[in-house]
Amino acid sequence: MKIYDVIGWACRVVPVLGVIALAGCGGDEPKGPEGLVCAAPATTPLPASPKGPLSWKGPGGPAQTYSSEALGVNCAFLDGGPEDDTDHHNTVTMLDGYLVMPWAPEWGGGGLSTFRFDDPCAPAPVGTSFSPLMRETHAAGFARMNGWKAVVNGVNGIQFWDLADPAAPTVTSDLSFEGVFWPDAYARVVLSVFWQAPYVYVAAADNGIFVVDATDPAKPVPLTKYKFDPPLRAGAIFAVGNLLAVMAAEGSRTVLLDIGDPARPTPIPGGTFEIEDGAGVRQEAYHAHLNGDKTWYARKSSGGGLIIYDISNPEAPRYAGDYHAPDGNGGYVFLKENVAFIGESHFAEAVDVSDPTKPALLRRFELTGDLDTIIPIGNVVVLSVDDKADEDHGSAVAPFLEAPDTRGPEVTMVNPRNGATSQPLTTRIGLTFGEFVDIGSLWEGSFFVRKLGTTEPIRGQYSGQEGIVNFWPASPLEPDTEYEVVVPAGGVVDFNGNPTQTEFRSTFKTGPCALPPKPTPYVEEEEE
């Protein structure tokens, strides 16, 4: 049984048996269909301070100052060790005070490496591990479940890692899907993952998307397979609260889906669209990003650059702005403090998007190879190529700003939206920040949800990746109730330990007493 199977069964059977009520059930609470009894979820005392019990094992993010002459110049290279012989690298991030670098070629055989990164021009290797079943990883999700866990792309599906010991990452499990296989790099493989713990949303190209229950990462369970009609080559995937966004790989289409029932993604009316540039010409993107009520596309047709869409109303997405790099060929795009960082295959760029209608180039970066990825961390960037690298130079570090980062993260989006009503009892709450944040700083003091007018946060699970964080309540919410989402000043921190400077608040209301039926049992399909 899965999480909502148990709740649904218990809410119907336990009251009949006269057993003590569970969280989400109550003897004298409002009743819904089929005698379902709904109650307030379990809570925990509000901590005295939003400052979390950070206990990084590593030293944290960049702490160095650079001269103006050093900006944009590669000062160090990152290598995964002897088995990283193809130098195919992608998205790096920080976890537990260390830099985490996935590496793997398209055909598989890769691993995770960790580094001290407080002095980025002299990174110090901490640990590295290899798996023959890991393949090129365009995104990695993280959650704390008896220590840090990660999910990445696998040769035939997805793969979970245990990062409790940064010096010795280990594979926890592999999950294969029928129809997912190499050698086609785009048509049949998993292209990216998003972990809204405990569920993992998997973009599997022409296979569509999979929903996986990873409550136990050692024994992940496929729940749902969703295929798009007309077909969509699912490339990028992002979950923010009850919203799921899926973008085509090397295509122009985006589909926004409602995941208020987390096991059953449902297209939002009006939420499917084709991206266009400012002249109204349809363009293709290699990959995309979601942040700040906007979707950000790394353009790959008729040159490179950036295309921005406003999805603040998911039923009516609209063009917001674009930037054209005629000599580029888009790879991946990420955001930090109103700057978009775009891999352009032949180079990478930092583009000012403080006014999305008028993006402006700030700086270009160079690294030999297919330079698809540029990740901002503090006042430096990490450049990564996934083909044709110089030996042991799959990733490089380059200073971007002179002074270390001292600005704290700011909330740029919330889902459910402020003032939303009739939200399902299975609602998850998602935020985006203007930069990647340290997910170890997420706890009941720094990001919490509570019944409006009360003080105690409800209990639940935190997870995040790429500037997106999610909170999954441990039990269904109370019906017809207004909830408050709070991010106090001084709580959530970025990779340098800078905390939020201002408080953020938002509210939403739940709907009537109702829970979704248990997910339809997932049965693997035989390929024709």
Side-chain angles (χ1 to χ4, degrees):
M1 282 189 178
K2 309 302 179 293
I3 183 170
Y4 290 117
D5 297 8
V6 173
I7 293 168
W9 175 86
C11 288
R12 291 168 173 79
V13 177
V14 170
V16 174
L17 298 178
V19 183
I20 188 170
L22 301 180
C25 310
D28 298 319
E29 301 294 340
K31 292 186 177 182
E34 302 181 42
L36 175 64
V37 180
C38 299
T43 61
T44 189
L46 180 67
S49 169
K51 187 176 181 180
L54 273 183
S55 55
W56 285 345
K57 293 180 179 177
Q64 305 299 312
T65 299
Y66 302 100
S67 67
S68 58
E69 293 78 13
L71 302 185
V73 179
N74 297 342
C75 64
F77 297 94
L78 302 170
D79 182 62
E83 290 167 306
D84 180 21
D85 53 1
T86 60
D87 296 305
H88 285 215
H89 295 184
N90 288 107
T91 306
V92 302
T93 191
M94 296 282 294
L95 183 74
D96 208 14
Y98 290 112
L99 183 80
V100 178
M101 183 181 76
W103 47 270
E106 292 179 348
W107 53 88
L112 294 179
S113 298
T114 56
F115 300 83
R116 286 183 58 107
F117 206 63
D118 51 324
D119 184 353
C121 290
V126 174
T128 191
S129 295
F130 174 80
S131 168
L133 295 181
M134 179 176 166
R135 73 172 295 274
E136 184 175 6
T137 289
H138 308 112
F142 300 90
R144 187 151 49 189
M145 295 177 166
N146 296 318
W148 287 113
K149 302 294 190 295
V151 61
V152 299
N153 294 353
V155 172
N156 297 307
I158 59 177
Q159 185 176 74
F160 291 88
W161 285 72
D162 188 324
L163 294 172
D165 181 359
T170 58
V171 174
T172 300
S173 66
D174 290 276
L175 178 64
S176 297
F177 303 111
E178 189 74 29
V180 170
F181 56 85
W182 174 262
D184 194 309
Y186 292 96
R188 308 299 295 180
V189 296
V190 169
L191 289 172
S192 60
V193 295
F194 197 96
W195 199 354
Q196 188 186 64
Y199 283 10
V200 178
Y201 294 92
V202 183
D206 295 356
N207 295 287
I209 60 176
F210 295 91
V211 183
V212 176
D213 183 352
T215 300
D216 180 358
K219 298 178 181 179
V221 179
L223 297 181
T224 308
K225 180 179 182 179
Y226 179 87
K227 298 196 74 171
F228 294 92
D229 185 16
L232 171 75
R233 181 161 289 178
I237 190 165
F238 305 95
V240 187
N242 292 337
L243 176 69
L244 186 71
V246 182
M247 295 83 160
E250 295 195 320
S252 58
R253 187 151 57 106
T254 293
V255 180
L256 304 179
L257 303 104
D258 184 335
I259 50 171
D261 175 352
R264 295 181 178 83
T266 303
I268 295 173
T272 298
F273 59 98
E274 307 278 349
I275 61 171
E276 299 178 345
D277 61 19
V281 178
R282 182 177 298 178
Q283 300 292 346
E284 293 184 344
Y286 186 81
H287 206 74
H289 187 58
L290 191 157
N291 191 285
D293 281 318
K294 296 178 179 64
T295 46
W296 309 77
Y297 302 87
R299 173 176 170 171
K300 69 165 292 291
S301 54
S302 302
L306 178 69
I307 296 177
I308 309 164
Y309 265 68
D310 185 328
I311 59 166
S312 55
N313 178 0
E315 296 182 355
R318 59 184 178 84
Y319 166 86
D322 72 308
Y323 161 80
H324 189 208
D327 52 343
N329 183 13
Y332 303 90
V333 55
F334 300 94
L335 274 290
K336 177 175 168 58
E337 296 173 351
N338 291 319
V339 177
F341 294 84
I342 314 160
E344 294 283 10
S345 297
H346 317 302
F347 53 87
E349 294 186 320
V351 176
D352 182 352
V353 291
S354 53
D355 180 354
T357 67
K358 298 177 181 178
L361 177 65
L362 296 174
R363 184 177 296 278
R364 280 194 172 186
F365 302 85
E366 306 285 343
L367 178 63
T368 300
D370 186 7
L371 179 49
D372 277 350
T373 307
I374 173 172
I375 301 292
I377 298 179
N379 60 336
V380 306
V381 297
V382 178
L383 309 166
S384 296
V385 300
D386 57 14
D387 195 16
K388 301 178 181 178
D390 288 340
E391 186 176 359
D392 297 337
H393 287 184
S395 290
V397 180
F400 173 60
L401 298 172
E402 295 180 21
D405 183 8
T406 58
R407 176 179 172 181
E410 299 176 2
V411 175
T412 56
M413 174 182 176
V414 61
N415 186 282
R417 298 187 57 75
N418 186 30
T421 59
S422 302
Q423 297 301 294
L425 307 191
T426 49
T427 284
R428 281 89 57 240
I429 296 83
L431 304 172
T432 70
F433 287 85
E435 60 181 308
F436 290 20
V437 297
D438 178 73
I439 61 173
S441 67
L442 303 175
W443 70 304
E444 294 88 351
S446 66
F447 166 25
F448 56 87
V449 180
R450 63 188 176 191
K451 187 174 178 179
L452 190 64
T454 67
T455 59
E456 294 192 340
I458 61 177
R459 296 177 183 173
Q461 169 79 54
Y462 296 94
S463 56
Q465 64 189 77
E466 300 174 19
I468 300 173
V469 302
N470 282 288
F471 174 73
W472 187 309
S475 54
L477 301 178
E478 191 173 357
D480 301 312
T481 300
E482 188 167 11
Y483 284 91
E484 181 179 40
V485 181
V486 182
V487 177
V492 178
V493 305
D494 63 16
F495 292 158
N496 277 65
N498 302 312
T500 49
Q501 297 298 305
T502 58
E503 182 183 72
F504 171 84
R505 288 177 182 259
S506 179
T507 63
F508 67 91
K509 292 182 179 179
T510 55
C513 180
L515 286 174
K518 66 180 181 180
T520 303
Y522 173 68
V523 178
E524 292 280 13
E525 299 176 350
E526 291 293 334
E527 294 297 310
E528 297 182 357

